[in-house]
Structures are given as C-alpha cells and as structure tokens.
C-alpha cells in the first residue's frame, strides 16, 4: 500500500501538526498566511498549553511545528518548549530570528529534541526586506551566525518561493551551506495577507518550470514537504514529498486561541473543525464533522480525466479556495494550464476572504532583546491581560 493510500483516510494522530502560539509579531510580512501582528487576548494560557502538550503525548504526536506570528515573543515560549520536550513531544519552531541571541543559540544546540527554522525570503536584503520588512534580512543572518557559532547543525533556512526570489535558489542553497544548515523551500499560498499580493508575487509559469527542474537536479537534500506536488504534472522526474493534500488527514493547525483548522494555509471558517477548549484536541481530530468529510473518498472533478492526476491529485486545497476556484477543480498554478483558464472565469466578488486579520494597525508589537521597555498596553506585555478563562 502506498503512503497516499494509507494517509488519504486519516490517521489516529496528525504527523504534521502546526501550532501557532501567538499572532503577535514584530514584522508585517506581506504574504503572512495568518495575517499576524497583534496579539489576541484570548490566547491559550500557559496551563492550557501544557494540557494540550499532555494530550499530544497521549496521542503519540511525536513533534509539533510551532509558529505564529513570532512565537518567541510569548513570555512563556521557552517554558513551553522545555515542557514539550520533557514530555516526548519534539519541537520545530519557525522564527524570524529576533530572539536568537548567542546564549539562546547555545541552549538550542544542546537539545536533541528541538529544531529551528529561520525564515528568509530573499538571498539579498533588497529582495528579502521588500517582503518581510526593513532590517529583517540582517536579523535572520545574525540568527544563523549565532546558531552556527553554537554548533547547531542542520537547522533550517525556510524560503517561500516568490516571483522575486525564484531565480535565487542557488544563492539560498549557498547561504544554508555556509552556516551548516538545510534549505527548506515552500510554496506561496494566497492565504492571509498573501491573498492580497498573490497575483503580484506568485511565480510565473516559466519560473515554475525552472523551479521544478532545479528540484529534480539539485533538490535531493532540499526539504519541500508537500509544497510542490502540483508541479508533478510535468512528469519528467519524481519530486520529494507527499503528492497528496493532507488537510484533515495527516495535517492540521491549532491557532493561538485553540481553534483547529484543517490546514495551516486554510485559516477560514469553512475549514474550522472545532476548538480544543471544547473537549480537547483528540476529540476534534477524531470526531469533527469536517475531518470526517475530508477523510471520505474525494472527487477530483474534471481533473480526474487529466493524465497528470495521479501525480498532482488536483493540487492545493487552500490555493484553490482563496483564488475562488472549486475544491474539485484545478490548482490555480496547474502546470498544464487548466488553472489559468479557470481563473479567467472567476469574478472578484466570489473570492473568499480570510476570516481573521491581526495585522498591525499602527506599529509593530514591541519586541526587545536584552532590555525592558514599558508596555503601552497591558496586552503588549501579557497576551492574557484582562482575559478570564472559561469556567472560572
């Protein structure tokens, strides 16, 4: 039995669980999938996060991908990482590098159960900072230097491929090699704030082909997850990763307030399965109506008649949804051109909008290293200020 056959009807526990600890972030990346910026005062408390980790341990979840926002700005972040690893739940966390000091890097290098992913969306400051904000390139490189100096081998350099950086893949690989890291590239989805810039930033058809050729030629040690299975329609060679949308089957997202979504790229009420505060995560994962539906046999629609269907399986659910295409239709970046034709018939008013927006209204949440700055508002210091948990 192939992995696709085994995974398409779901597992007892997710094998790719993303947990966004906070929507707070010091940056305002234009393609942020969760529209992060400001903290949500309803964030799970430290005690609730610990209880969730306990549940992950009981379910056999062997690691979680922690993100945000910028997860390291939560005051209890390091406490929660330590609690997870003590309870046999490995942690991979994504960060822009703002809190990776030399001391933190040494602590991380000493752990066998923590992996770090530094976000970088340009091999030069000009390209990166256009997307992620002024100074973000220098911050990321400084974090990599600290990790390398601490002896942290094979941390990840995570790149979202865009129209502006698609020609920099060799340079990204060189940066990763320079710091003893591993390159990870992911697909740009029209999710969150990314919906507003997708037309401008997503790679052209010619760049998609170049990306595919580069992965076939040089991608053996490059991580992609399931980001680029829509490119398998080229059919000239295999790509690493699972050529299946794992949403609700082997993949899900827990957001800062405990809502569980089918996919990290599908933060919309349509894909909301439940909340961990209402009976726990296991109940949502195993019993939610949405996940049950996603694990039932799916129709590939018109795509099933395409010779590439077994390779690409119709592409990404989130990419289709947030560009106004039907879920049983072609991927908007279908390499056979069917997505482009389908997009031509989409009317602007029919395209779904992200359900949540935590973008900065005035300026970024204060994030400091090595000093204390008085908070302007209580929730800038404590994400739970003024919040009373349910049942109390």
């Amino acid at each position: 039995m192939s992995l696709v056959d085994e995974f398409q009807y779901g597992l007892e526990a997710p094998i790719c669980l993303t947990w966004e600890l906070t929507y707070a972030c010091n940056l305002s990346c234009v393609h942020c999938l969760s529209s992060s910026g400001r903290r949500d005062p309803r964030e799970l408390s430290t005690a609730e996060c610990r209880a969730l980790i306990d549940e992950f341990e009981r379910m056999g979840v062997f690691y979680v991908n922690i993100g945000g926002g910028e997860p390291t700005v939560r005051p209890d972040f390091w406490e929660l990482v330590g609690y997870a690893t003590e309870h046999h739940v490995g942690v991979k966390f994504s960060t822009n590098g703002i809190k990776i000091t030399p001391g933190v890097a040494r602590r991380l290098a000493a752990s066998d159960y923590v992996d770090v992913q530094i976000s970088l969306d340009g091999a030069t400051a000009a390209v990166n900072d256009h997307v992620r904000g002024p100074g973000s390139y220098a911050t990321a490189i400084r974090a990599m230097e600290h990790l390398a100096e601490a002896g942290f081998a094979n941390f990840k350099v995570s790149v979202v491929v865009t129209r502006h950086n698609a020609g920099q893949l060799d340079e990204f690989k060189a940066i990763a090699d320079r710091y003893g890291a591993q390159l990870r590239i992911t697909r740009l989805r029209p999710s969150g704030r990314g919906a507003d810039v997708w037309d401008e930033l997503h790679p052209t058809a010619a760049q998609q082909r170049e990306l595919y050729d580069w992965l076939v030629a040089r991608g053996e040690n490059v991580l992609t997850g399931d980001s680029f299975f829509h490119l398998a329609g080229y059919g000239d060679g295999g790509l690493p990763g699972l050529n299946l949308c794992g949403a609700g089957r082997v993949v899900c997202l827990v957001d800062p307030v405990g809502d569980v979504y089918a996919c990290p790229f599908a933060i919309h009420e349509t894909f909301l399965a439940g909340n961990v505060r209402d009976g726990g995560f296991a109940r949502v994962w195993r019993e939610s109506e949405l996940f049950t539906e996603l694990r039932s046999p799916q129709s590939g629609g018109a795509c099933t008649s395409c010779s590439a269907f077994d390779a690409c399986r119709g592409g990404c659910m989130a990419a289709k949804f947030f560009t106004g295409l039907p879920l049983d239709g072609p991927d908007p970046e279908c390499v056979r051109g069917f997505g482009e034709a389908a997009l031509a018939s989409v009317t602007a008013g029919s395209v779904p909008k992200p359900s949540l927006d935590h973008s900065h209204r005035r300026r970024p949440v204060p994030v400091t290293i090595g000093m204390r700055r008085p908070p302007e508002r209580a929730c800038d210091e404590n994400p739970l200020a003024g919040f009373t948990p349910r049942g109390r």
Side-chain angles (χ1 to χ4, degrees):
M1 179 182 292
S2 70
L3 285 178
V4 169
D5 292 333
E6 187 171 347
F7 289 169
Q8 64 180 327
Y9 300 120
L11 300 175
E12 283 296 300
I15 59 174
C16 186
L17 193 163
T18 297
W19 184 8
E20 294 183 343
L21 282 180
T22 183
Y23 285 124
C25 189
N26 57 304
L27 299 182
S28 297
C29 302
V30 300
H31 60 359
C32 179
L33 64 91
S34 57
S35 299
S36 289
R38 295 172 290 113
R39 287 186 176 96
D40 190 313
R42 300 170 299 153
E43 283 180 1
L44 298 176
S45 67
T46 302
E48 288 175 311
C49 288
R50 283 173 169 256
L52 191 53
I53 292 168
D54 291 340
E55 193 169 10
F56 293 158
E57 181 182 21
R58 291 193 297 271
M59 292 178 68
V61 174
F62 52 89
Y63 85 98
V64 293
N65 296 296
I66 290 182
E70 172 53 44
T72 62
V73 305
R74 261 192 72 136
D76 59 0
F77 174 73
W78 302 111
E79 175 187 346
L80 293 175
V81 169
Y83 188 81
T85 58
E86 290 166 7
H87 288 76
H88 315 292
V89 178
V91 170
K92 178 193 295 182
F93 71 90
S94 298
T95 176
N96 58 46
I98 190 69
K99 293 284 191 177
I100 306 299
T101 63
V104 166
R106 288 191 293 270
R107 188 195 323 170
L108 292 170
S111 174
D112 292 330
Y113 299 99
V114 179
D115 197 7
V116 185
Q117 190 166 278
I118 306 294
S119 297
L120 189 73
D121 290 330
T124 60
V127 174
N128 178 84
D129 292 5
H130 174 71
V131 172
R132 301 187 63 81
S136 56
Y137 180 86
T139 297
I141 294 297
R142 182 170 60 245
M144 293 182 208
E145 291 172 346
H146 292 332
L147 290 169
E149 290 167 0
F152 194 124
N154 291 317
F155 67 88
K156 310 302 182 286
V157 178
S158 182
V159 175
V160 178
V161 179
T162 68
R163 190 167 302 182
H164 302 305
N165 69 22
Q168 297 184 321
L169 295 176
D170 286 333
E171 289 84 352
F172 283 123
K173 184 67 166 58
I175 290 173
D177 290 345
R178 182 187 313 152
Y179 296 108
Q182 188 172 18
L183 179 62
R184 177 179 185 267
I185 61 174
T186 62
R187 181 183 180 183
L188 175 70
R189 266 85 165 194
S191 307
R193 285 196 294 269
D196 295 328
V197 298
W198 187 80
D199 286 338
E200 171 193 345
L201 289 184
H202 81 96
T204 65
Q207 289 175 322
Q208 298 256 26
R209 179 72 213 207
E210 291 168 2
L211 170 60
Y212 176 84
D213 291 339
W214 189 88
L215 285 170
V216 171
R218 304 202 57 192
E220 183 177 357
N221 294 313
V222 175
L223 300 176
T224 61
D226 62 355
S227 280
F228 300 108
F229 64 91
H230 70 294
L231 299 181
Y234 285 122
D236 295 339
L239 288 179
L242 180 69
N243 67 329
L244 171 73
C245 173
R249 300 178 178 97
V250 296
V251 172
C252 73
L253 165 79
V254 179
D255 85 348
V257 302
D259 282 338
V260 182
Y261 293 89
C263 170
F265 304 103
I267 303 176
H268 188 275
E269 57 189 15
T270 301
F271 304 106
L272 177 60
N275 189 286
V276 301
R277 284 173 166 146
D278 299 324
F281 173 76
R283 184 196 63 79
V284 177
W285 178 256
R286 294 169 180 166
E287 300 177 15
S288 79
E289 183 178 338
L290 173 66
F291 287 174
T292 299
E293 180 181 350
L294 289 171
R295 293 163 191 167
S296 64
Q298 302 291 309
S299 167
C303 285
T304 56
S305 62
C306 176
S307 61
F309 179 71
D310 287 341
C312 78
R313 297 280 172 157
C316 172
M317 177 184 75
K320 289 187 274 192
F321 181 79
F322 285 116
T323 52
L325 298 180
L327 298 186
D328 63 352
D331 189 288
E333 294 180 302
C334 168
V335 300
R336 300 292 179 89
F338 299 122
E340 184 178 357
L343 286 172
S345 64
V346 174
T347 58
S350 66
V351 179
K353 299 296 183 183
S355 296
L356 305 173
D357 189 354
H358 293 83
S359 301
H360 298 301
R361 290 176 178 167
R362 295 182 181 144
R363 63 185 182 82
V365 173
V367 178
T368 58
I369 300 178
M371 63 177 288
R372 299 286 290 176
R373 181 186 302 170
E376 293 186 0
R377 300 170 301 166
C379 65
D380 285 340
E381 177 70 11
N382 180 2
L384 294 168
F387 169 62
T388 301
R390 296 178 185 176
R392 295 185 182 181

